[in-house]
Amino acid sequence: MVELSTTKDGIPNQAEASDRVLQILSEAGRLFATKGYDGTSMRDIAVACGISKSLLYHHFSNKDEIYARVAVGSTLELYLFVRDRVPDGPPSQKIRAFMVATAEYFRRYRWAWIASTTAFWNDPDRHRQKERLTRRDRFENFLRGLIQEAIDAGEIRKVDVPMTGRLILSSLNWMHRWYNPNKSATPEQIADIFFDMVFNGLRSGDAAAPPPAEPPKSSRRKARQTSRS
């Protein structure tokens, strides 16, 4: 689970990523996700890891440091994990690889994902909040770049790139709210299904496209007033 270990500036630190540290981060992520920050103590983390509190404090000075490494570090590592799994090739297949890799990260580090998601808007530390937003934007911009590539290559029609990116990420980001690991489909398989739905659409080839929805009444009134003036 090396993806959760980062230095203070957010750069992965392979040398520091001992098995013990990774075990602590993994167990802490599970506890933060299930019991919350306030409901998790250093003693809880030590017991879950099967180690003494003194050994836990040897690696981390306090609970907040562990929480920051789990909740903030995982946002960086998600980007690195996905980026390294998007191969060269047709832009549309890069989008598929992006979605499947994101789902794979969720499967591997589900507790860290949940803890990070929970902390995203609830963390009172404003510096960490800003850091997470910056890393989220980089992740979203990476996907938007792939979508724009697919448009430029003529593989998909001209769509609103930010809106399309939000659609794709929303389908993946909320998987933790309903995904059941005891079911047969893996997160990667679900992401593949999502890609097919997004890329190929839901309408069958023989079905006529529905007419565009009319704007709300208030919008129509404003349009008439504008045309009269």
Side-chain angles (χ1 to χ4, degrees):
M1 191 173 167
V2 71
E3 281 73 17
L4 290 181
S5 181
T6 60
T7 60
K8 291 181 179 179
D9 59 0
I11 304 302
N13 187 341
Q14 301 291 340
E16 185 189 4
S18 67
D19 290 342
R20 179 65 70 195
V21 169
L22 298 178
Q23 179 199 20
I24 293 170
L25 293 173
S26 177
E27 291 296 335
R30 179 180 63 82
L31 290 170
F32 290 142
T34 55
K35 301 177 65 174
Y37 177 83
D38 292 333
T40 301
S41 66
M42 290 291 276
R43 182 180 182 280
D44 292 333
I45 298 172
V47 170
C49 295
I51 61 176
S52 65
K53 285 179 65 176
S54 61
L55 180 56
L56 179 60
Y57 278 108
H58 171 74
H59 293 290
F60 296 97
S61 58
N62 52 49
K63 182 175 70 171
D64 193 60
E65 182 184 355
I66 300 176
Y67 185 74
R69 290 279 293 275
V70 172
V72 180
S74 61
T75 58
L76 168 69
E77 299 307 337
L78 171 62
Y79 168 78
L80 297 175
F81 185 94
V82 172
R83 183 200 63 184
D84 292 345
R85 285 162 176 76
V86 175
D88 292 331
S92 59
Q93 291 307 307
K94 291 182 182 180
I95 296 173
R96 177 186 177 277
F98 176 100
M99 295 176 67
V100 172
T102 301
E104 181 185 355
Y105 185 90
F106 166 75
R107 177 179 58 79
R108 289 193 182 195
Y109 311 117
R110 181 166 171 254
W111 293 119
W113 177 296
I114 295 174
S116 179
T117 301
T118 302
F120 196 88
W121 298 113
N122 300 323
D123 191 345
D125 189 309
R126 304 189 75 174
H127 174 72
R128 286 200 299 248
Q129 180 79 291
K130 182 178 180 180
E131 187 176 4
R132 271 196 296 272
L133 288 171
T134 298
R135 292 177 177 181
R136 180 203 64 180
D137 291 345
R138 178 167 62 170
F139 188 64
E140 288 190 3
N141 288 333
F142 178 44
L143 173 59
R144 291 177 185 181
L146 299 180
I147 295 170
Q148 188 61 57
E149 279 186 43
I151 293 173
D152 295 340
E155 293 184 354
I156 60 177
R157 60 188 176 85
K158 292 182 179 180
V159 294
D160 184 304
V161 173
M163 192 71 71
T164 306
R166 293 188 193 103
L167 171 65
I168 291 173
L169 289 177
S170 294
S171 70
L172 299 169
N173 288 344
W174 289 97
M175 193 183 298
H176 72 279
R177 297 293 296 270
W178 56 263
Y179 174 70
N180 185 347
N182 296 320
K183 297 293 185 178
S184 58
T186 67
E188 293 95 322
Q189 290 170 333
I190 293 170
D192 212 18
I193 293 170
F194 285 165
F195 171 77
D196 177 68
M197 291 178 175
V198 171
F199 190 73
N200 295 314
L202 299 175
R203 182 166 59 96
S204 69
D206 298 330
E214 292 188 8
K217 291 182 179 180
S218 59
S219 299
R220 293 203 297 268
R221 283 198 299 268
K222 289 179 181 179
R224 287 198 296 268
Q225 290 172 359
T226 303
S227 63
R228 291 170 184 170
S229 59

